[in-house]
C-alpha cells in the first residue's frame, strides 16, 4: 500500500476549519509532516517553493479520531494480523480517519495477548500507512452481564486486585490505553483507582450503576462514558442511573454512535443541546462488516447479519455498527451541526480524551498535519496523515 508523501506541501484555497472559526479561502503550510503556518486568502504566499495542492471547493478539517472500532473491510480486531490492521488503517484513511484505537471485545487471555501483540507490531511497522493506531481500547471484560449488548458474558471478569490485570498486555509506553468498565462489578471502584494510577483512560459503559457508585467512580478517576445511552440502564424518572448522571455532569464527556440506529437522530440532537459540543465525541463502534455491504458475517464466533445498515446477532441484539466516522459526521451535519462543532466532536474531543490534544485533533500550528478535505457533498477529496496522502 504505497502512498505519496507530502511532508512539505501547501494546501491552498480551502475553507479551513480552525478551533473557533472558519477561514474561507485559507491555506495551510505543512513542513516535515507538521502544520507550520495558516494563511488567510489575503496573506497566502503568491508563490511557494513546496508542492501545492489546490483544495478549492473543499472544507479542510482536522482528521477524525475513532476511539471505538472493532474492525472493517472484513478484518476483526480480535483475529487480526498486523497486516490486517494495516488494511483497516488504509481503509480508514480513505474515510477521513487519521487515528484509531483497535477495540477489543471480551475474549480469552490468550486471545487478548495475540491482539495486543498484533497491535504492537502494526504500530511500529515500517510499512505502516494510513490512519495511525494510537493504542488499544478494551471494551470490557469488567462490565455488567445484565448490559452485555453483543459482548460474550463468559469472558466477563470481576476485580479483586492487581493480579487480575495481568492479561492487559500493552507493552508500549507511548500507546494510549483505554478501557470501558462498569463500576458495579465486584471491586469496580478500586479497579478504576488502580487503572487511573497506571494512566489508563477510563470510560464507564455496559453498566447499571447507581448514582452513588458513579460518583465514586468519578472520584477514582473516571471522566468519560462509552456509547452513551446504549448498553446502560435506561433513563427512569424514579431511579436515575448512568444516563441521568451523564447528562447532569459537565465534567464527564460522552461518546455516541451517530448512525441513526443506535440512537434516534432526535436523541442525538437532544444530546448536543444538553451536553453541548464540548461534552460529546463521535465513535463508530464499527465491526468487521463495515465497508462490505449487507449480508451475513461470521464475527465473534457467531453470525452477525447486516441488513439496511443495521447489525444484529442471533439473539436480536444490535452488534455494533457498519458506519465510519465519516458517516457519523455526515449524520450530525444533517442535523444542523456546524463544521466548527464537528471538528470538536470528531477530532478535538477524542484527542483530548486520549491525552493527545497537544499533538493532533485540531488545525493548529505545531500539530501533526492530520487533515481531511471534504467536498461540498461531504465526500473525502483528500486525507493527509502526518504528510502522507490518501488516496494516493
Ligand atoms: Zn464496541
Amino acid at each position: 500500500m504505497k502512498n505519496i508523501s507530502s511532508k512539505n506541501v501547501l494546501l491552498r484555497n480551502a475553507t479551513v476549519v480552525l478551533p473557533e472559526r472558519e477561514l474561507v479561502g485559507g491555506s495551510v503550510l505543512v513542513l516535515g509532516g507538521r502544520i507550520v503556518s495558516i494563511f488567510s486568502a489575503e496573506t497566502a504566499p503568491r508563490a511557494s517553493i513546496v508542492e501545492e495542492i489546490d483544495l478549492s471547493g473543499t472544507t479542510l478539517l482536522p482528521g477524525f479520531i475513532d476511539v471505538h472500532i472493532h474492525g472493517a473491510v472484513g478484518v476483526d480486531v480480535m483475529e487480526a494480523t498486523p497486516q490486517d490492521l494495516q488494511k483497516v488503517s488504509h481503509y480508514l484513511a480513505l474515510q477521513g480517519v487519521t487515528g484509531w484505537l483497535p477495540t477489543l471485545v471480551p475474549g480469552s487471555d490468550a486471545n487478548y495477548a495475540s491482539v495486543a501483540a498484533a497491535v504492537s507490531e502494526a504500530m511500529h511497522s515500517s510499512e505502516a500507512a494510513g490512519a495511525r493506531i494510537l493504542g488499544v481500547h478494551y471494551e470490557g471484560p469488567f462490565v455488567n452481564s445484565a448490559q452485555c449488548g453483543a459482548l460474550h458474558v463468559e469472558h466477563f471478569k470481576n476485580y479483586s486486585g492487581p493480579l487480575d490485570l495481568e492479561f492487559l498486555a500493552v507493552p508500549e509506553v507511548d500507546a494510549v490505553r483505554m478501557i470501558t468498565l462498569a463500576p458495579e462489578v465486584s471491586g469496580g471502584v478500586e479497579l478504576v483507582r488502580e487503572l487511573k494510577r497506571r494512566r489508563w483512560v477510563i470510560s464507564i459503559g455496559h453498566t447499571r450503576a447507581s448514582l452513588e457508585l458513579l460518583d465514586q467512580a468519578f472520584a477514582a478517576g473516571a471522566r468519560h462514558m462509552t456509547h452513551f445511552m446504549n448498553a446502560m440502564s435506561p433513563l427512569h424518572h424514579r431511579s436515575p442511573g448512568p444516563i441521568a448522571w451523564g447528562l447532569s455532569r459537565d465534567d464527564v464527556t460522552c461518546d455516541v454512535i451517530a448512525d441513526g440506529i443506535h440512537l434516534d437522530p432526535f436523541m442525538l440532537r437532544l444530546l448536543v443541546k444538553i451536553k453541548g459540543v464540548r461534552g460529546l465525541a463521535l465513535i463508530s463502534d464499527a465491526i468487521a462488516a463495515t465497508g462490505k455491504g449487507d449480508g451475513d458475517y461470521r464475527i465473534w464466533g457467531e453470525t452477525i447479519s447486516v441488513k439496511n445498515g443495521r447489525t444484529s446477532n442471533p439473539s436480536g441484539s444490535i452488534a455494533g455498527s457498519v458506519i465510519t466516522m465519516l458517516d457519523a459526521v455526515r449524520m450530525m451535519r444533517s442535523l444542523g451541526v456546524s463544521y466548527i462543532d464537528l471538528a470538536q466532536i470528531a477530532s478535538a474531543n477524542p484527542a483530548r480524551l486520549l491525552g493527545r490534544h497537544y499533538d493532533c485533533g485540531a488545525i493548529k500550528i505545531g500539530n501533526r498535519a492530520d487533515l481531511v478535505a471534504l467536498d461540498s457533498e461531504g465526500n473525502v477529496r483528500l486525507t493527509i496523515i502526518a504528510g502522507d496522502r490518501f488516496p494516493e
Side-chain angles (χ1 to χ4, degrees):
M1 288 172 216
K2 228 168 42 65
N3 51 285
I4 298 170
S5 188
S6 323
K7 300 248 184 260
N8 304 321
V9 67
L10 181 66
L11 305 169
R12 272 197 192 272
N13 302 322
T15 297
V16 180
V17 181
L18 303 175
E20 305 288 333
R21 64 202 170 95
E22 287 183 5
L23 206 55
V24 178
S27 303
V28 174
L29 178 63
V30 175
L31 293 179
R34 297 228 167 228
I35 298 168
V36 299
S37 294
I38 300 166
F39 303 102
S40 65
E42 295 75 39
T43 60
R46 293 234 175 87
S48 169
I49 50 166
V50 298
E51 184 193 0
E52 297 188 17
I53 299 176
D54 185 0
L55 292 178
S56 298
T58 71
T59 302
L60 190 67
L61 292 151
F64 312 134
I65 299 173
D66 193 349
V67 304
H68 190 143
I69 164 168
H70 300 284
V73 285
V75 173
D76 177 24
V77 164
M78 295 306 287
E79 294 175 0
T81 63
Q83 294 70 33
D84 289 337
L85 293 169
Q86 279 158 22
K87 191 171 149 193
V88 177
S89 283
H90 191 262
Y91 170 74
L92 290 177
L94 297 174
Q95 304 284 320
V97 176
T98 54
W100 65 294
L101 292 185
T103 301
L104 292 78
V105 293
S108 67
D109 289 5
N111 195 172
Y112 274 141
S114 68
V115 179
V119 169
S120 171
E121 197 181 323
M123 281 178 79
H124 294 93
S125 164
S126 54
E127 303 277 284
R132 275 184 299 139
I133 298 176
L134 302 171
V136 283
H137 178 176
Y138 286 81
E139 185 180 13
F142 302 103
V143 286
N144 190 332
S145 51
Q147 292 290 171
C148 60
L151 307 182
H152 287 200
V153 296
E154 67 268 27
H155 298 300
F156 286 16
K157 292 181 197 282
N158 290 312
Y159 179 71
S160 58
L163 279 181
D164 291 339
L165 298 178
E166 283 187 345
F167 71 92
L168 293 173
V170 193
E172 315 318 317
V173 278
D174 58 342
V176 172
R177 291 158 295 172
M178 179 168 171
I179 190 165
T180 292
L181 56 78
E184 70 272 27
V185 300
S186 173
V189 173
E190 194 43 51
L191 171 66
V192 174
R193 199 168 290 119
E194 176 61 22
L195 288 172
K196 181 71 184 173
R197 197 181 63 75
R198 299 183 188 196
R199 297 171 184 270
W200 282 63
V201 177
I202 296 151
S203 185
I204 296 169
H206 290 275
T207 180
R208 303 185 69 82
S210 65
L211 298 180
E212 195 187 356
L213 260 177
L214 290 159
D215 282 342
Q216 288 174 23
F218 180 89
R223 296 286 184 278
H224 187 73
M225 298 181 84
T226 292
H227 44 53
F228 191 59
M229 293 189 163
N230 293 119
M232 48 186 73
S233 39
L235 188 62
H236 192 281
H237 50 291
R238 276 191 293 276
S239 65
I243 294 177
W245 186 79
L247 291 175
S248 75
R249 295 205 70 132
D250 291 339
D251 43 11
V252 171
T253 53
C254 298
D255 61 52
V256 292
I257 310 169
D259 61 353
I261 293 168
H262 283 77
L263 293 172
D264 188 281
F266 183 88
M267 299 307 279
L268 290 169
R269 227 187 250 126
L270 187 60
L271 281 173
V272 171
K273 184 178 161 102
I274 297 176
K275 291 297 293 177
V277 287
R278 273 195 76 77
L280 284 181
L282 302 182
I283 56 169
S284 70
D285 202 359
I287 61 167
T290 304
K292 303 282 281 181
D294 284 1
D296 288 344
Y297 300 89
R298 197 74 197 155
I299 300 170
W300 305 333
E302 59 190 16
T303 300
I304 293 179
S305 306
V306 182
K307 211 170 163 189
N308 300 324
R310 171 191 275 270
T311 65
S312 63
N313 69 7
S315 61
S317 274
I318 309 182
S321 88
V322 287
I323 61 163
T324 66
M325 290 288 283
L326 179 64
D327 301 303
V329 162
R330 283 183 181 144
M331 166 62 75
M332 298 307 283
R333 179 94 180 132
S334 77
L335 300 177
V337 179
S338 72
Y339 273 129
I340 294 173
D341 289 345
L342 282 166
Q344 179 119 34
I345 63 177
S347 306
N349 292 352
R352 182 153 35 85
L353 173 68
L354 303 183
R356 293 295 173 93
H357 46 292
Y358 61 86
D359 191 47
C360 59
I363 300 184
K364 220 164 60 178
I365 291 173
N367 269 13
R368 277 174 189 268
D370 289 353
L371 305 162
V372 56
L374 300 183
D375 68 17
S376 56
E377 314 274 272
N379 298 312
V380 173
R381 165 95 64 91
L382 177 73
T383 305
I384 290 192
I385 301 174
D388 290 337
R389 201 188 300 178
F390 304 86
E392 292 142 31

